[in-house]
Amino acid sequence: MTETVPLNGEAMSGRHGKKGRPNTVLIAIISGVAIAAFGLVIAFAADAFWGAMIGLAGVALTGAAARIRTDRRNRAAETAHGPGSLIQQRMRINRSRNSGLQFLAASALFPALEVILVSINPDRPLRLSAIFPTVLFVTIGITQLVLAAKERKNFENEFGREAGKQQAVEH
């Protein structure tokens, strides 16, 4: 068996990204698809509503991980052609932060829906299945916020606090 050696002379590990590190984003995408499939099974076998909610949580995980992967690829392309303007870099960081806030806001949806369903039908038992998608969305949201804060700190350390901020236009 021959070993693949790239142009820089380092042996490849068989994993994506940096040598010896698994591609966690790709793992998250695959996990999200598996969770969505599990939700589909639950929807047909047991409870259509919560099966759909679990499926949507899996789709959201897949979408968030795919967005991170796309951002990383775009950053790699930007560095090949320059990093983009300071405004574009700050906008990308703000998009990541806003995505985290949206996931945190959406995490309140699942327990709220469960409370609404119990209030509509008091005989319906309170189900703890709302915890899974809530925890998933909170985890994704906090991760996005932490990564955005770290990226903003690095950006501001390199270019200054006011770098890339757009000034209001006076009429």
Side-chain angles (χ1 to χ4, degrees):
M1 181 175 193
T2 60
E3 184 176 354
T4 305
V5 179
L7 295 175
N8 64 4
E10 292 181 17
M12 295 177 69
S13 66
R15 296 181 178 185
H16 298 283
K18 294 181 181 175
K19 184 175 179 180
R21 290 183 52 200
N23 188 338
T24 53
V25 175
L26 190 58
I27 292 169
I29 291 171
I30 293 168
S31 299
V33 170
I35 291 168
F38 176 71
L40 189 63
V41 169
I42 295 294
F44 284 109
D47 186 350
F49 178 77
W50 285 112
M53 290 297 108
I54 291 170
L56 286 174
V59 169
L61 173 63
T62 303
R67 192 181 152 300
I68 291 169
R69 187 173 191 202
T70 302
D71 278 352
R72 286 181 180 173
R73 284 186 176 174
N74 288 344
R75 270 185 252 145
E78 285 174 356
T79 55
H81 304 291
S85 71
L86 295 177
I87 291 174
Q88 289 172 325
Q89 291 178 50
R90 186 171 287 273
M91 287 172 61
R92 183 174 32 81
I93 294 168
N94 287 339
R95 265 196 316 271
S96 182
R97 178 183 167 274
N98 291 342
S99 173
L101 291 173
Q102 289 170 349
F103 270 102
L104 287 177
S107 69
L109 176 70
F110 298 104
L113 285 173
E114 185 63 27
V115 168
I116 289 169
L117 289 174
V118 169
S119 66
I120 290 172
N121 184 6
D123 297 334
R124 182 182 185 275
L126 185 65
R127 298 188 180 155
L128 297 178
S129 55
I131 292 173
F132 174 73
T134 301
V135 169
L136 183 66
F137 274 44
V138 167
T139 303
I140 292 170
I142 289 173
T143 302
Q144 285 287 102
L145 288 174
V146 168
L147 290 174
K150 181 180 172 185
E151 195 170 354
R152 176 176 297 207
K153 180 182 173 194
N154 291 340
F155 176 78
E156 289 179 351
N157 285 342
E158 185 175 347
F159 299 110
R161 287 185 60 129
E162 299 298 316
K165 287 188 178 177
Q166 297 182 24
Q167 303 302 321
V169 177
E170 300 284 330
H171 291 287

